[in-house]
Amino acid sequence: MLPPEHIPVMQENSAPRAPHSGGSTPIITVSGVDYVVDMAGKPLQILKGVDLAVTPGEVVAIVGPSGSGKTSLLMLLAGLERATAGRITIGGTDITNLDEDAMAVFRRKTLSIVFQSFHLIPSLSALDNVGLALEIAQPDLPLAKVREAAAAALDTVGLGKRLDHRPAALSGGEQQRVGLARALVTKPPLLLADEPTGNLDQNTGAVVVDLMFDLARRNNTTVVLITHDPNLAARADRSFTMTQGRLSENTGGAH
Ligand SMILES: Nc1ncnc2c1ncn2[C@@H]1O[C@H](COP(=O)(O)OP(=O)(O)O)[C@@H](O)[C@H]1O
Ligand SMILES: [Mg+2]
């Protein structure tokens, strides 16, 4: 059996989740964020006065039409792009003005991303795709522990019998479950997912999102899920809509 500190997604947590409201300090605070890019010499405003507060362990979804700015907001939350105005605080760190090195440390300690197109390394087995993420996050972890934890994470997403498969030998849904195992093996406080079901059929996508929410809730991982599927968004604790760079909370129906 594996030491529990290395198998985050395996840990059963039968205790009820902490309530989301009622004064819990947010893990994500976005206030008054504008995001402007240069488009052929002209400023193009992508995000306009975005406000968002997410409490630890909360699962939120963001829907909205293509081009409305959802991915841009995710990139800002991930510290991969920088806000033009306003402030973003994550896990108590104001990331608005972090330098590149501090930002890289923040990313490694704080979050994982699940992408629409999986972004698995084709030449590596499922086990090594997941293990590599853990090696990067914890360079001092012995290789045997890395492999144990990667195998455990894959087992948790139902791929315990696919450890040696390369991505090309896995279905789309299985590849995305590898992506999920890779994201969660490092035990991030925050999971960001950008249209993770966009390349999957509807049923497979629903299974992957259910799995993602279930694992997140068991581990008290905060999730920001971007999706254009309102049915998936309705499974989150709260949902928001992005419309032409403005974010608003959906009321009624998300619970
Ligand atoms: N770096 C950039 N330079 C120019 N335009 C961009 C850049 N990033 C995003 N955009 C534009 O901003 C808008 C929002 O993009 P995005 O955040 O990807 O939207 P969504 O994820 O909701 O589809 C789109 O019109 C996109 O073309
Ligand atoms: Mg997008």
Side-chain angles (χ1 to χ4, degrees):
M1 200 49 212
L2 303 171
E5 65 269 25
H6 295 313
I7 46 171
V9 294
M10 292 281 285
Q11 288 173 37
E12 288 291 338
N13 180 3
S14 54
R17 303 180 70 205
H20 300 132
S21 51
S24 183
T25 308
I27 182 173
I28 299 174
T29 309
V30 177
S31 15
V33 161
D34 293 346
Y35 181 51
V36 181
V37 298
D38 181 275
M39 193 61 195
K42 280 180 62 182
L44 172 68
Q45 184 158 11
I46 295 174
L47 297 178
K48 298 162 188 164
V50 170
D51 296 317
L52 174 67
V54 181
T55 55
E58 199 173 15
V59 171
V60 304
I62 298 175
V63 294
S66 181
S68 59
K70 304 182 298 297
T71 294
S72 298
L73 177 58
L74 199 93
M75 291 296 112
L76 297 182
L77 294 176
L80 294 168
E81 299 289 350
R82 284 170 190 279
T84 310
R87 192 164 293 282
I88 298 178
T89 302
I90 297 185
T93 301
D94 180 347
I95 66 167
T96 321
N97 298 310
L98 288 185
D99 66 34
E100 288 302 326
D101 288 352
M103 194 72 105
V105 171
F106 153 78
R107 277 197 298 268
R108 200 168 62 224
K109 288 188 169 165
T110 311
L111 58 93
S112 291
I113 307 179
V114 179
F115 300 94
Q116 172 173 349
S117 49
F118 318 140
H119 288 311
L120 302 177
I121 297 174
S123 60
L124 295 184
S125 67
L127 187 72
D128 289 341
N129 264 284
V130 176
L132 180 61
L134 188 54
E135 276 183 72
I136 292 168
Q138 295 182 44
D140 297 332
L141 198 61
L143 190 58
K145 298 285 182 207
V146 168
R147 296 177 69 85
E148 281 178 6
L154 283 162
D155 194 47
T156 306
V157 298
L159 294 178
K161 294 194 160 56
R162 297 286 185 275
L163 303 185
D164 297 328
H165 284 52
R166 291 185 183 177
L170 297 168
S171 71
E174 288 172 336
Q175 289 183 59
Q176 194 56 300
R177 282 190 275 152
V178 176
L180 192 53
R182 176 184 57 188
L184 293 176
V185 74
T186 58
K187 293 189 282 187
L190 176 59
L191 180 64
L192 303 174
D194 191 357
E195 311 253 16
T197 67
N199 286 354
L200 306 177
D201 66 67
Q202 201 170 16
N203 289 338
T204 307
V207 169
V208 168
V209 164
D210 277 344
L211 181 62
M212 181 169 80
F213 285 3
D214 180 48
L215 294 174
R217 286 178 167 132
R218 272 197 260 163
N219 292 285
N220 213 37
T221 307
T222 308
V223 178
V224 178
L225 165 71
I226 289 175
T227 176
H228 52 234
D229 185 340
N231 294 317
L232 296 182
R235 297 170 194 237
D237 298 323
R238 288 190 294 150
S239 73
F240 297 80
T241 300
M242 185 75 82
T243 311
Q244 294 183 1
R246 296 184 192 279
L247 190 70
S248 57
E249 183 164 355
N250 303 326
T251 49
H255 276 268

